[in-house]
Amino acid sequence: MTYTATSFSLRRRPLTARGRDRAVGVWLLSVGLMIFATVILGGITRLSGSGLSIMEWKPLMGTLPPTSTAEWNRIFGLYQQIAQYKHINAGMTLPGFQNIFWWEYSHRLWDRIIGLVFLVPFLWFLFRGYLRRGSGSRVGAPRLAAIFALGALEGFLGWYMVSSGFEDRDSVSQYRLVLHLIMAVFIYALILWSAFDLLQPDRIAGHRGRIRGAANNTRLLVVLIFCEMALGGLVAGLHGGLVYNDFPFMNGAWIAPDLWSMSPWWVNITENPGCAQFLHRIGAGLVTLTVIALAIRATSPDLAGVLRARILLVGLGLVIQVTLGILTLRLLVPLPLAAAHQGGALLLLSLTLFLMHGFKRAAAGYNGIT
């Protein structure tokens, strides 16, 4: 009996279409977790007053921090020229500046790492044929390329936001802050949805198909959460968490008398901190009512058990988020609680998207639900 060298060679079996999808899905889920972290890190950067500490936008060269005393003094000198230093941090020493610098630097560096973690595996998967239509992949290269382009746009929007604080104001524009936040959340949602497409491709069995109402309810909830996060961005940009810190009242009243004190009235929505907080409270109420409606629908025998479980998770996420929001308000926005509240919003959105994707899989094959 003769043997050849190839008889003992170790050859890895090529992955099946399901295996390729799982590999891409795990990668996307990892990127999503990194974006989750950067949204929280961005919130900490804003809350700590660190966002304006870097006055230059250098997408490539800015990867390296200052390495000499002269360079530290140079960038500190740039910071001393803006209104935030003059009105809030006048007299700050170089060590004090370094403390806020490292928060903003870490945020920018983490975002650059996210870009690499997305781009390099994307090119590898593309080269290996994991993203070709003929390979059976549910998420193709065009969708992922579009997400990467949105990520590049998000980097520009971050600088667009920061640069507003270089003008005659002590902080960044609340409008640009909301734009930057919602773009990040939108990219996160796209990546998470794509990961769900790849990691849970099978139809959910055990339902009767009459689930359109619950599915539409979930879609509405996703829209409301996005709107509520935008309102939260306005509250943050206007420092609205530092006014009306009782709950459920506003300085003892259900509706504070100065919510519409600015003229014209619609300016209050985006310029009046108290009004922004009031609308944020209303948004939270609408989200709560929508989740309650979902919980009522969960009693229907038309829903599969797995969908009922996901509705329960959404309800649990809401309880956590509302609790964090009330504590953050009552305790005058302590940094750890405020960061957790921002993370709680993303968690609630994630659980709702998970539920909505479940309805998509449960309704496969039924008209009107796709």
Side-chain angles (χ1 to χ4, degrees):
M1 185 174 183
T2 58
Y3 298 91
T4 63
T6 56
S7 300
F8 297 96
S9 64
L10 297 177
R11 294 185 178 179
R12 182 179 298 176
R13 287 186 178 181
L15 289 177
T16 63
R18 177 66 66 88
R20 291 191 294 269
D21 279 359
R22 187 178 297 113
V24 177
V26 169
W27 159 63
L28 288 174
L29 199 59
S30 301
V31 175
L33 289 173
M34 294 181 72
I35 295 176
F36 191 107
T38 203
V39 172
I40 297 177
L41 182 56
I44 294 174
T45 300
R46 180 193 59 77
L47 288 165
S48 62
S50 307
L52 299 178
S53 58
I54 300 180
M55 302 281 296
E56 298 171 316
W57 190 42
K58 298 179 179 179
L60 296 178
M61 298 303 295
T63 303
L64 298 177
T67 56
S68 67
T69 302
E71 182 64 9
W72 275 114
N73 287 325
R74 186 185 71 82
I75 61 173
F76 185 31
L78 293 175
Y79 178 71
Q80 290 174 313
Q81 298 174 14
I82 66 174
Q84 186 184 78
Y85 172 82
K86 296 174 182 177
H87 300 160
I88 298 177
N89 292 326
M92 173 183 278
T93 62
L94 180 59
F97 170 74
Q98 289 172 327
N99 287 335
I100 64 172
F101 171 90
W102 286 118
W103 277 116
E104 173 66 7
Y105 173 78
S106 299
H107 183 40
R108 295 193 188 192
L109 179 62
W110 185 250
D111 288 345
R112 290 182 174 99
I113 293 173
I114 292 175
L116 286 176
V117 171
F118 188 97
L119 180 61
V120 174
F122 168 67
L123 294 176
W124 189 87
F125 286 130
L126 185 63
F127 177 76
R128 299 283 295 184
Y130 282 39
L131 306 177
R132 297 172 186 164
R133 288 188 176 182
S135 68
S137 176
R138 296 172 181 268
V139 177
R143 187 200 297 192
L144 296 178
I147 290 175
F148 182 77
L150 288 175
L153 176 61
E154 171 68 353
F156 171 76
L157 290 177
W159 174 250
Y160 179 65
M161 175 193 69
V162 169
S163 64
S164 66
F166 302 158
E167 302 166 3
D168 189 21
R169 54 183 303 145
D170 298 334
S171 58
V172 300
S173 162
Q174 68 270 27
Y175 303 104
R176 300 187 190 185
L177 172 65
V178 170
L179 182 62
H180 183 54
L181 172 64
I182 291 303
M183 177 61 80
V185 175
F186 180 63
I187 294 171
Y188 172 78
L190 287 176
I191 288 179
L192 200 62
W193 189 265
S194 299
F196 290 158
D197 275 346
L198 295 165
L199 295 175
Q200 54 169 25
D202 298 327
R203 188 171 72 87
I204 294 176
H207 66 285
R208 300 181 183 178
R210 295 187 295 273
I211 58 174
R212 179 178 300 179
N216 289 336
N217 198 323
T218 306
R219 294 189 183 99
L220 173 62
L221 181 58
V222 170
V223 173
L224 288 175
I225 292 173
F226 262 95
C227 293
E228 179 67 347
M229 293 186 76
L231 287 171
L234 276 179
V235 172
L238 293 169
H239 307 287
L242 300 176
V243 298
Y244 302 119
N245 295 102
D246 52 341
F247 186 88
F249 301 107
M250 303 182 77
N251 284 358
W254 285 106
I255 302 176
D258 62 342
L259 296 189
W260 307 103
S261 58
M262 295 182 178
S263 181
W265 66 267
W266 59 80
V267 174
N268 290 276
I269 298 173
T270 56
E271 299 286 347
N272 185 336
C275 184
Q277 189 201 115
F278 176 72
L279 293 176
H280 191 48
R281 294 186 184 201
I282 295 298
L286 292 175
V287 169
T288 301
L289 290 174
T290 307
V291 172
I292 291 173
L294 262 177
I296 294 173
R297 293 182 184 276
T299 62
S300 169
D302 292 335
L303 291 183
V306 65
L307 295 177
R308 292 196 187 96
R310 294 186 188 187
I311 291 175
L312 179 62
L313 286 175
V314 170
L316 179 61
L318 176 67
V319 171
I320 293 172
Q321 176 64 351
V322 169
T323 302
L324 288 172
I326 294 174
L327 289 175
T328 301
L329 182 67
R330 293 299 301 269
L331 298 176
L332 296 177
V333 197
L335 194 151
L337 270 179
H341 183 51
Q342 187 155 313
L346 271 182
L347 175 63
L348 180 59
L349 176 64
S350 304
L351 294 172
T352 307
L353 288 172
F354 188 48
L355 172 61
M356 189 166 77
H357 198 275
F359 279 120
K360 174 184 176 181
R361 289 291 179 251
Y366 290 92
N367 293 330
I369 306 290
T370 56

